[in-house]
Amino acid sequence: MANIRDVAKHAGVSVSTVSNVLNGRTDQMRAETLERIQQSMQTLNYFPNRVAQQLKTGHAKMIGLLVPSIVNPSFAALAREVDLAAKKRLYRVLIGNTYRQVEEEEAFLDDMFSHGVRGIIVAACDIEKPHFVQAAKQGMMMVNYDGRMPANVESDGFTLDSVSMDNVDAGRMAAEHLIARGCRTLIFATVAGMTPSRAHKIEGFLSVVKQHGLYREGMIVEGQAMAAYGDTEMTELGRALAQKIGQQSPLPDGIVAINDAFGIGLMTGLHQAGINVPEQISIVGIDNISLSELVYPGLTSIMPPLKEMAEVMVERLIDRIENPALAPQEYLFPPSLVTRQSVREA
């Protein structure tokens, strides 16, 4: 079995240079040197001893990603980008599905500590729950994804960064696009159960309809999930809610969906009800998942810069693991509009 000295000899470099690669210290290394070392590892079937690394450094070269449900395409896309960003830094990602259940979140945190993981990305969860606060006190570094920085950050030992798309601007942008295309009877379609990101999207939506004098009661239409927050049911919830929307009088001519999976379900349900998209009802989703350009009509969506966000989260998490004294920061990314065929022409 090959060892680090075999890799160094094969690549024509020193053992310390190979060690720098294994420990992610490649900033000052020439690209050709790094590529040669990585090729030597592959040729010799060399696998670094993760246990030995953990004993030496006190933590594993792994980070955690906690999501409500990987079934939700938005979180699946997030997991992919986080994994790619971590691999570039020679880190692995351990993913936990928690379904927003406290006991699952607590178990995930315990597992991370037992595996020597000292940094996690917490996606779309209430980061101010006691078990997250306690984990931070015990030395777990955290980045809060899709949620703003908590009010008590830095107090009582609770330090973390937050990375999010500007969800208020996302809701605002979706509503503005529908109004610009001539829609005047708008609704916001979502799932019952409020999270910070959902509240911010609705806030942006309502600010625009009020600004244009289009506000009325009942503009927020909710579908009731079987499980809390509906993370695993988005498409079906959208399809079911379409039946309710199709019975409204007057019929809305523009819908902002809480996310693309929900929007795709809405389009399917409206089609089944004999309602044409976009001629009768235009729809804008939020998240821009890959399926949105494959359905017919293609779903117009508000897109987060997910790759850039993942890069920042992973880099910031590793920096904080190496230097826990770093002051926490909030990173708010602007969304962009991706136009397809689900919104009528002006």
Side-chain angles (χ1 to χ4, degrees):
M1 182 179 293
N3 58 38
I4 190 171
R5 292 177 180 82
D6 298 324
V7 173
K9 182 178 180 180
H10 189 275
V13 298
S14 66
V15 171
S16 61
T17 302
V18 178
S19 178
N20 285 337
V21 172
L22 296 177
N23 290 287
R25 297 188 293 266
T26 60
D27 293 346
Q28 307 301 319
M29 188 176 295
R30 290 188 300 176
E32 60 181 2
T33 303
L34 175 59
E35 184 177 353
R36 194 164 69 249
I37 293 171
Q38 291 174 332
Q39 184 61 50
S40 295
M41 291 179 182
Q42 184 175 352
T43 301
L44 298 174
N45 290 320
Y46 171 73
F47 299 96
N49 189 328
R50 300 295 184 189
V51 175
Q53 284 183 340
Q54 183 175 338
L55 289 172
K56 181 180 179 181
T57 63
H59 67 269
K61 287 184 73 66
M62 294 184 286
I63 59 174
L65 173 62
L66 186 154
V67 297
S69 173
I70 205 72
V71 172
N72 187 320
S74 301
F75 296 129
L78 170 69
R80 177 181 183 275
E81 294 298 341
V82 168
D83 183 59
L84 291 174
K87 282 179 177 175
K88 286 167 56 175
R89 294 159 178 82
L90 301 180
Y91 270 71
R92 293 291 181 181
V93 180
L94 299 179
I95 300 176
N97 288 283
T98 66
Y99 309 103
R100 302 185 193 269
Q101 301 298 310
V102 169
E103 59 272 17
E104 292 291 337
E105 293 171 353
E106 291 175 335
F108 181 78
L109 291 170
D110 290 341
D111 288 343
M112 294 301 96
F113 277 116
S114 65
H115 282 85
V117 175
R118 289 297 178 266
I120 60 172
I121 295 168
V122 181
C125 295
D126 181 2
I127 199 73
E128 297 186 73
K129 291 177 182 175
H131 48 277
F132 289 121
V133 177
Q134 182 60 34
K137 290 179 181 179
Q138 293 175 288
M140 183 64 74
M141 304 301 159
M142 286 183 277
V143 173
N144 182 22
Y145 171 75
D146 201 31
R148 303 296 297 272
M149 186 176 284
N152 66 330
V153 70
E154 280 196 289
S155 67
D156 200 24
F158 187 34
T159 59
L160 72 155
D161 298 295
S162 70
V163 174
S164 178
M165 174 176 71
D166 188 335
N167 285 305
V168 174
D169 198 31
R172 184 185 302 122
M173 188 178 292
E176 287 282 12
H177 181 63
L178 289 170
I179 292 171
R181 292 294 182 92
C183 299
R184 293 295 178 267
T185 308
L186 274 60
I187 63 172
F188 191 104
T190 185
V191 187
M194 196 60 65
T195 66
S197 64
R198 291 178 189 176
H200 289 149
K201 291 170 186 175
I202 292 171
E203 177 187 338
F205 169 84
L206 290 176
S207 70
V208 168
V209 295
K210 289 176 180 177
Q211 177 186 339
H212 287 269
L214 300 175
Y215 177 79
R216 67 185 193 284
E217 293 296 328
M219 297 190 78
I220 312 303
V221 183
E222 297 181 334
Q224 186 62 53
M226 296 289 290
Y229 300 100
D231 295 295
T232 64
E233 311 166 44
M234 287 296 173
T235 305
E236 286 304 315
L237 282 168
R239 182 162 63 175
L241 193 62
Q243 307 303 316
K244 177 180 177 181
I245 292 172
Q247 296 170 5
Q248 289 190 357
S249 181
L251 192 69
D253 58 5
I255 301 176
V256 177
I258 189 64
N259 56 42
D260 281 16
F262 201 92
I264 290 170
L266 279 171
M267 288 200 301
T268 301
L270 290 172
H271 175 74
Q272 292 172 342
I275 297 171
N276 190 283
V277 176
E279 281 80 2
Q280 291 175 273
I281 299 180
S282 294
I283 301 178
V284 177
I286 300 176
D287 283 342
N288 195 46
I289 61 176
S290 57
L291 285 174
S292 297
E293 62 179 342
L294 301 177
V295 297
Y296 182 81
L299 179 64
T300 291
S301 186
I302 307 300
M303 178 177 70
L306 199 57
K307 182 178 184 297
E308 292 84 352
M309 294 166 73
E311 291 278 354
V312 168
M313 286 190 287
V314 171
E315 182 175 355
R316 188 66 181 172
L317 197 56
I318 294 173
D319 286 347
R320 185 174 287 284
I321 291 170
E322 296 174 353
N323 182 11
L326 284 176
Q329 293 188 37
E330 181 175 30
Y331 300 85
L332 199 60
F333 287 79
S336 57
L337 175 69
V338 180
T339 58
R340 297 191 179 95
Q341 299 80 40
S342 64
V343 178
R344 70 191 187 189
E345 295 296 328

